[in-house]
Amino acid sequence: MQGENLTVWSFFFLEGFSRYPMLEIALFVFSLVMFLITLLGNSTLILITVLDARLQSPMYLFLGNLSFMDICYTSASIPTLLVNVLSSQKTIMFSGCAVQMYLSLAMGSTECVLLAVMAYDRYLAICNPLRYPILMNRRVCVQMAAASWVMGCLTALLETSFALRVPLCGNLIDHFTCEILAVLKLACAESLLVDMVMLVVSVLLLPIPMLLICISYVFILSTILRISSAEGRSKAFSTCGAHLTVVILYYGAALSMYLKPSSSSSQEVDKVISLLYGVLTPMLNPIIYSLRNKEVKTAMRKVLGQIPLFRTHESL
């Protein structure tokens, strides 16, 4: 590849679901509603964790990072999807495609690591409550959150830089975003090096964190079973079940995308899977992890009570 000018295309066409015009209308409504709910839910969580001093524990610091990550993740791709659905010219500049690819990979990779860190945090809080303040102090918490961001951003930079060096024999991306696998389908020839990088990073960020999460929750559930109160067990199982549902949804969709044979499913199926973990999961995260939480609800009422509109309504 040395000596070649590999940046041939100045822009790309995003095919999306243009083969199904009626589906595009439903897709636009679905994506817009999910995007607005995602922004509202995650922004609310960040706001109340910053304003309420009682929500300064490690768990809420991790949740704040997760919410910020989900906002960045959806903002990197959903606005382009919404614009292109309504436009006859479904194009994106090469530079915009590169940025979109990097941000999506960086946020997705960081979330994979952060979810494992959050599971470990819950394991320490539930299984080692007396030592928890020492083991998970603010310094350790910040370091673990920072490590998640560094690992996610560096692996995304590695994948994106290799993907952008591959010569492409077309500029029609059969996807609604610059998803790296869809872009690599345009490669003029297979690259063993790129395939190896993608495989190593995918194994590092998907099955390994998911395995750590499962191990953490096995210990958590075994501790819950020893709770004498039936009500306490029921509440704990409900919370853990909700957490595991989101984890399985996110990792399951990502695993089916990045660790499957390239010919095992159609590109249309891949698009639907991308919507699953790219739109639905970021919307569910604040609801499952925090907005069902009593402490968060109390903090939210307190914050809303400081807004004149809501304070007047409550006084009535």
Side-chain angles (χ1 to χ4, degrees):
M1 293 184 186
Q2 292 182 353
E4 296 182 23
N5 180 14
L6 302 181
T7 309
V8 177
W9 307 104
S10 59
F11 64 91
F12 294 97
F13 291 99
L14 296 172
E15 184 167 354
F17 291 95
S18 56
R19 299 172 192 169
Y20 314 99
M22 294 305 297
L23 181 60
E24 282 196 315
I25 298 173
L27 175 65
F28 176 84
V29 175
F30 170 79
S31 300
L32 178 61
V33 171
M34 297 299 103
F35 182 54
L36 293 177
I37 294 175
T38 298
L39 293 181
L40 179 62
N42 286 289
S43 299
T44 300
L45 180 59
I46 293 174
L47 179 65
I48 61 177
T49 53
V50 170
L51 296 180
D52 197 305
R54 293 172 298 179
L55 302 183
Q56 301 299 316
S57 64
M59 179 179 74
Y60 293 108
L61 177 62
F62 291 137
L63 286 173
N65 274 266
L66 183 64
S67 292
F68 179 72
M69 200 178 305
D70 284 337
I71 290 174
C72 294
Y73 186 55
T74 53
S75 298
S77 57
I78 302 305
T80 302
L81 165 64
L82 296 174
V83 170
N84 284 341
V85 165
L86 298 179
S87 173
S88 58
Q89 297 291 328
K90 305 176 188 298
T91 60
I92 184 171
M93 299 300 294
F94 177 86
S95 56
C97 187
V99 171
Q100 189 180 78
M101 185 190 303
Y102 172 74
L103 287 177
S104 297
L105 284 171
M107 297 303 105
S109 300
T110 304
E111 184 161 339
C112 286
V113 181
L114 188 63
L115 288 174
V117 170
M118 290 169 62
Y120 177 67
D121 171 69
R122 290 300 83 206
Y123 158 73
L124 291 179
I126 295 173
C127 301
N128 295 280
L130 297 180
R131 298 178 60 197
Y132 176 74
I134 299 173
L135 296 174
M136 190 58 74
N137 56 53
R138 186 166 185 84
R139 179 167 168 265
V140 172
C141 179
V142 171
Q143 288 175 341
M144 294 181 76
S148 301
W149 280 97
V150 170
M151 187 172 183
C153 291
L154 287 181
T155 54
L157 181 61
L158 180 67
E159 290 178 296
T160 305
S161 60
F162 273 96
L164 294 178
R165 287 174 53 84
V166 175
L168 305 178
C169 289
N171 65 340
L172 176 61
I173 301 175
D174 190 8
H175 211 281
F176 54 80
T177 184
C178 284
E179 203 276 328
I180 188 170
L181 295 180
V183 173
L184 290 176
K185 287 182 183 294
L186 301 177
C188 297
E190 292 186 3
S191 172
L192 181 60
L193 179 59
V194 174
D195 291 342
M196 287 300 298
V197 169
M198 292 292 296
L199 178 61
V200 171
V201 172
S202 297
V203 170
L204 185 65
L205 295 176
L206 291 172
I208 293 178
M210 188 172 183
L211 178 62
L212 294 175
I213 291 172
C214 291
I215 293 173
S216 297
Y217 273 95
V218 166
F219 284 106
I220 290 171
L221 292 174
S222 66
T223 302
I224 291 173
L225 289 173
R226 294 196 292 269
I227 297 176
S228 57
S229 167
E231 183 181 351
R233 282 198 305 271
S234 176
K235 183 178 179 181
F237 273 124
S238 174
T239 302
C240 290
H243 291 184
L244 286 174
T245 299
V246 174
V247 166
I248 292 171
L249 183 67
Y250 182 77
Y251 282 98
L255 282 168
S256 66
M257 280 283 294
Y258 291 94
L259 288 179
K260 65 171 176 57
S262 58
S263 60
S264 64
S265 66
S266 70
Q267 189 63 23
E268 303 303 319
V269 174
D270 287 347
K271 295 175 192 176
V272 174
I273 294 174
S274 296
L275 279 175
L276 191 64
Y277 72 81
V279 179
L280 185 60
T281 306
M283 183 205 71
L284 290 177
N285 277 337
I287 298 172
I288 297 297
Y289 279 104
S290 53
L291 298 182
R292 297 167 71 246
N293 188 297
K294 185 177 179 180
E295 290 180 334
V296 173
K297 290 179 180 178
T298 302
M300 190 182 301
R301 283 194 293 267
K302 179 182 176 183
V303 171
L304 291 178
Q306 297 174 355
I307 301 175
L309 176 63
F310 289 96
R311 187 167 59 242
T312 303
H313 177 73
E314 287 182 357
S315 64
L316 293 175

